[in-house]
Amino acid sequence: MAALQHKILLDESQLPTQWYNVVPDLPEPPPPPLHPGTLQPVGPDDLAPLFPEALIAQEVTGERYVDIPGEVLDVYRLWRPAPLYRAHRLEKALGTPARIYYKYEGVSPAGSHKPNTAVPQAFYNAQAGIRKLTTETGAGQWGTALAFAGALFDLDVEIWQVGASYDQKPYRRTMMEVFGARVHRSPSDLTDAGRGIRAEDPQHPGSLGIAISEAVEVAAADPGTRYALGSVLNHVLLHQTVIGEEALLQLAAVEEKPDVVVGCTGGGSNFGGLVFPILREKLAGRMSPTIRAVEPASCPSLTRGVYAYDFGDTAGMTPLMKMHTLGHDFVPDPIHAGGLRYHGMSPLLSHVHELGLLEALALPQTECFAAAVQFARTEGIVPAPEPTHALAACIREALACRESGEEKVILTALCGHGHLDLGAYDAYLSGRMADEAVTDERLAPALAGLPPVPAGS
Ligand SMILES: *Cc1c(COP(=O)(O)O)cnc(C)c1O
């Protein structure tokens, strides 16, 4: 019997040494972020209280490639290159002629793709003489990644965790604390943004938008503190492109090209990281995959949001970004995929969607957990709740291939493991997980609260 090749591994010497910026390869540049007061494009000075110069430069760079600093590569080598797996047993269970590959990011110290950007963000802040970083976290994966990176570069890390996740996932807080971070339940009494919300509802479940407001408020008030964002922004997606660059090398090693690339989208960073290098190949005519983003039906920014200028946070302290948004006041149902509960979508991915270069689909969480359980029982990895969405979409595609007989190559990012999300699996397995149907009436108030920006912007 021929041995099954499950893992496609790269040598350390094949670790990418540059991040890829998709912007210069797009047919049109994305619309700029605007200052909420003047409605003029924001300049570096507007961002300087929040981010170090090197990251601001990466946010707006027109260069196609950005060198990865040696100090960052040294940390990446703790777990990168990450494995690409062929899902032989899942394929067999589905009876599909499709070949399914998943890039596994759960091998990182934080158990997700988030350290790919946490490490360079901590590095550039430390290099600029910053002593402390603030941030938000939803499910806790980003907070864990930044706490880890802060520990390596000697930075204090203070984290506002979305209340619903803080209550549901105490071990995530412990993990952040093990790495040395301080963690607050958001909304908190430590900021104007948090106090305002708690005055109206002391038991408020929180949202990523609220937690961002709190972290930004604290960073903006202290010259020795900066803010770090785990998704959405261009420099974050830039750092994540190591995922797609490695996956391309790994697929080439087994002489495959993807026909379908699917990933889950919260703020868009694991998806952008997987997809942008592949989009480069597609735009250059070297491959022609369908590219598909999958989001939760309970927080459907790409499929049911509007493409408009909106704030990145709830209190309205960030620049206005043109993106697919449900409105910055939208508070999603506390579904278990905490990392996908963001009202907006990366402006760069939103722009790519507007250009017609990617499809989007929203899935209910019970279908996603059914897929994850099938995946765990065949492949042996318990996925984080977020990539269960990508897996459910892979399974839909693979079953369509069973009907049509097409031998498609399906590629996805399994962007994290779910070892600290077993409560969600318990809810699913015991029949306590429900699918929330989000009505148009429920979406309307937050959409009505979008900031007024003149037409044509
Ligand atoms: C944070 C997170 C997400 C969502 O964020 P993106 O920026 O959309 O990738 C998805 N999966 C995992 C495992 C995460 O930690």
Side-chain angles (χ1 to χ4, degrees):
M1 192 185 132
L4 289 180
Q5 184 184 7
H6 295 294
K7 291 202 285 300
I8 302 146
L9 298 174
L10 296 176
D11 206 73
E12 265 190 27
S13 65
Q14 292 170 289
L15 179 65
T17 56
Q18 294 184 312
W19 294 302
Y20 167 63
N21 174 27
V22 75
V23 172
D25 286 332
L26 294 177
E28 281 171 44
L34 303 182
H35 188 286
T38 64
L39 298 182
Q40 294 302 306
V42 293
D45 292 351
D46 298 312
L47 298 174
L50 294 184
F51 303 108
E53 214 175 296
L55 290 175
I56 296 172
Q58 290 180 0
E59 187 63 23
V60 298
T61 184
E63 297 293 324
R64 194 168 266 111
Y65 291 97
V66 176
D67 286 338
I68 306 176
E71 293 88 336
V72 172
L73 289 172
D74 267 345
V75 182
Y76 278 178
R77 273 192 284 269
L78 288 172
W79 72 95
R80 307 207 71 84
L84 180 76
Y85 282 85
R86 167 95 186 263
H88 288 288
R89 288 192 174 84
L90 177 64
E91 291 166 17
K92 190 156 176 246
L94 296 170
T96 180
R99 299 190 291 286
I100 303 173
Y101 292 89
Y102 56 96
K103 179 74 173 157
Y104 186 40
E105 292 292 320
V107 293
S108 84
S112 75
H113 65 293
K114 296 284 189 351
N116 296 334
T117 185
V119 170
Q121 290 195 45
F123 166 74
Y124 289 119
N125 274 287
Q127 206 188 29
I130 297 305
R131 291 183 309 279
K132 176 170 143 184
L133 293 175
T134 63
T135 197
E136 74 294 330
T137 195
Q141 284 133 327
W142 167 241
T144 304
L146 196 70
F148 156 70
L152 297 190
F153 291 102
D154 243 344
L155 294 165
D156 289 339
V157 176
E158 193 169 3
I159 299 169
W160 277 262
Q161 184 174 16
V162 175
S165 292
Y166 185 96
D167 299 337
Q168 281 167 17
K169 303 188 175 189
Y171 290 147
R172 287 269 187 215
R173 173 172 53 76
T174 307
M175 194 150 168
M176 292 183 260
E177 289 171 351
V178 167
F179 285 126
R182 269 197 295 153
V183 186
H184 311 291
R185 188 187 189 281
S186 171
S188 75
D189 284 328
L190 300 165
T191 64
D192 288 340
R195 282 188 292 269
I197 288 163
R198 282 175 58 84
E200 283 171 32
D201 178 1
Q203 295 311 315
H204 198 288
S207 70
L208 278 170
I210 295 167
I212 294 172
S213 296
E214 296 203 85
V216 166
E217 186 182 319
V218 170
D222 175 4
T225 299
R226 292 289 181 277
Y227 166 70
L229 187 61
S231 186
V232 178
L233 297 179
N234 297 354
H235 68 267
V236 179
L237 274 64
L238 176 81
H239 299 155
Q240 293 294 353
T241 56
V242 289
I243 302 173
E245 294 289 18
E246 287 180 6
L248 281 172
L249 293 175
Q250 287 162 312
L251 285 179
V254 289
E255 297 178 1
E256 296 271 38
K257 286 183 181 182
D259 297 304
V260 185
V261 186
V262 294
C264 66
T265 47
S269 75
N270 88 86
F271 184 74
L274 174 70
V275 151
F276 286 165
I278 290 167
L279 188 56
R280 172 190 65 212
E281 300 303 302
K282 180 172 173 165
L283 291 169
R286 290 188 284 265
M287 51 180 66
S288 52
T290 299
I291 298 177
R292 189 172 296 148
V294 192
E295 58 186 10
S298 57
C299 195
S301 53
L302 275 174
T303 52
R304 292 173 72 191
V306 293
Y307 183 53
Y309 273 103
D310 196 8
F311 292 107
D313 70 318
T314 300
M317 298 191 307
T318 70
L320 295 172
M321 297 180 287
K322 191 148 187 187
M323 60 183 175
H324 289 88
T325 179
L326 296 166
H328 59 279
D329 288 330
F330 182 71
V331 177
D333 293 316
I335 62 157
H336 295 287
L340 303 183
R341 298 176 69 231
Y342 185 59
H343 67 270
M345 182 50 57
S346 146
L348 190 47
L349 262 188
S350 293
H351 176 64
V352 168
H353 186 45
E354 281 302 295
L355 292 173
L357 297 172
L358 68 86
E359 309 176 346
L361 154 88
L363 292 180
Q365 64 176 346
T366 51
E367 177 179 341
C368 298
F369 274 84
V373 166
Q374 184 171 30
F375 183 85
R377 290 176 186 174
T378 47
E379 296 297 311
I381 298 174
V382 179
E386 294 84 2
T388 66
H389 294 72
L391 292 172
C394 283
I395 289 177
R396 280 192 181 194
E397 184 70 38
L399 292 175
C401 288
R402 185 174 73 188
E403 296 309 308
S404 66
E406 287 172 284
E407 297 181 16
K408 289 187 185 173
V409 173
I410 304 171
L411 171 67
T412 193
L414 179 53
C415 51
H417 68 64
H419 296 177
L420 293 179
D421 305 289
L422 296 177
Y425 280 91
D426 184 46
Y428 172 72
L429 293 171
S430 62
R432 284 180 288 118
M433 182 177 281
D435 287 326
E436 231 87 38
V438 185
T439 59
D440 290 342
E441 291 70 44
R442 165 118 162 70
L443 295 178
L447 287 173
L450 287 174
V453 172
S457 297

